[in-house]
Every structure is written in C-alpha cells, then in structure tokens.
Amino acid sequence: MIRLATKADIPRVLTLWSRSAEPTHTDDGVSVERLIDHDPQALLVAEAGEVLVGSIIAAWDGWRGSIYRLAVEPYERRSGLGRRLLEAAEARFDELGARRSQAIVVATDHRAMIFWRSSGWDEQVERVRFVRG
C-alpha cells in the first residue's frame, strides 16, 4: 500500500534510506519533519503489512515537480515497487498541473541509473547540478 507519510513514519523512513539508498549527510529527522510541515503530500511511503518497504519524495514548488530519494528495500527490488512509487508521484504532479518534472539521481548509483533510463524519463546529460551544503 502506498500512502502519505506522517511524522510518526520519520524514524522508519530514515532507517529505510540508510539501508537502501545512497547515504547523504543532509538526511535527518528535523529536515524530513520540515518537509512534511511545508508540503504534507510530498513524502509517500509504501508498506507491506506493517513494514515500510519504500518511499519517494515528490516535491512540488508551484512550477515543477521534483523527485528526490526514491528508495526501496533491497529485498523488494525488481518487484515493481519503485515503478508504483514513481507512478504515485507522477499522479500527484498531474493533479497539481505540472507540465514538467525532474528527478535528482546520483550518477554513480548504477541500479538507479538503469531504473530511470528504463522508466520513460529522459536523461539530460548537458546539465550540471550545483549544490551547497
């Protein structure tokens, strides 16, 4: 089942991210709580029974939809869960009227790159992303 995350889900989301995704120093409970406060529909989670097995951040800034942190438990990969999470995020963007969406993907995460290349999204190799923090 895919549903909106709540603040009570934050510890399980962080655990999922640490096991299944590229680690990053910017992911912490306070930041995720701020995300939910700012946009209560941005963080979606997938559960199998009582176990949280996937998540996706589908952020909307009023102009563009942005996908961050698509994460699936390693034992659930290749089950279609990642695609279902992506479809839920895309449905959110469609409802909001997004005409363009983007996904931020770690280029060295080979599994993620294969997923995105096969998902119907276009890679923009001519762009470079700059970050601070």
Side-chain angles (χ1 to χ4, degrees):
M1 173 181 80
I2 296 174
R3 63 171 176 79
L4 295 176
T6 67
K7 291 180 183 180
D9 293 313
I10 292 172
R12 295 190 309 152
V13 168
L14 293 173
T15 298
L16 168 71
W17 289 351
S18 72
R19 282 197 306 263
S20 63
E22 292 289 324
T24 177
H25 66 282
T26 59
D27 291 335
D28 60 43
V30 172
S31 297
V32 178
E33 188 169 335
R34 272 197 307 253
L35 170 68
I36 292 171
D37 285 341
H38 173 74
D39 184 353
Q41 297 179 356
L43 180 56
L44 304 171
V45 294
E47 291 178 312
E50 298 294 315
V51 180
L52 194 140
V53 294
S55 72
I56 190 168
I57 297 174
W60 171 249
D61 63 9
W63 174 61
R64 174 184 311 221
S66 297
I67 303 289
Y68 306 97
R69 291 304 237 164
L70 172 57
V72 174
E73 279 285 5
Y75 62 84
E76 286 286 337
R77 291 184 181 146
R78 303 193 60 78
S79 70
L81 179 57
R83 291 216 188 274
R84 289 191 303 277
L85 283 162
L86 179 56
E87 288 167 359
E90 291 172 329
R92 175 175 194 239
F93 296 152
D94 289 346
E95 288 173 16
L96 291 166
R99 295 182 59 210
R100 185 171 176 90
S101 299
Q102 65 181 357
I104 306 300
V105 182
V106 176
T108 57
D109 185 340
H110 301 294
R111 290 183 315 262
M113 295 300 286
I114 290 168
F115 172 84
W116 285 99
R117 287 180 178 132
S118 69
S119 71
W121 287 53
D122 298 316
E123 185 176 357
Q124 288 190 329
V125 295
E126 68 276 6
R127 295 188 186 251
V128 175
R129 182 172 177 237
F130 293 87
V131 298
R132 187 176 84 179

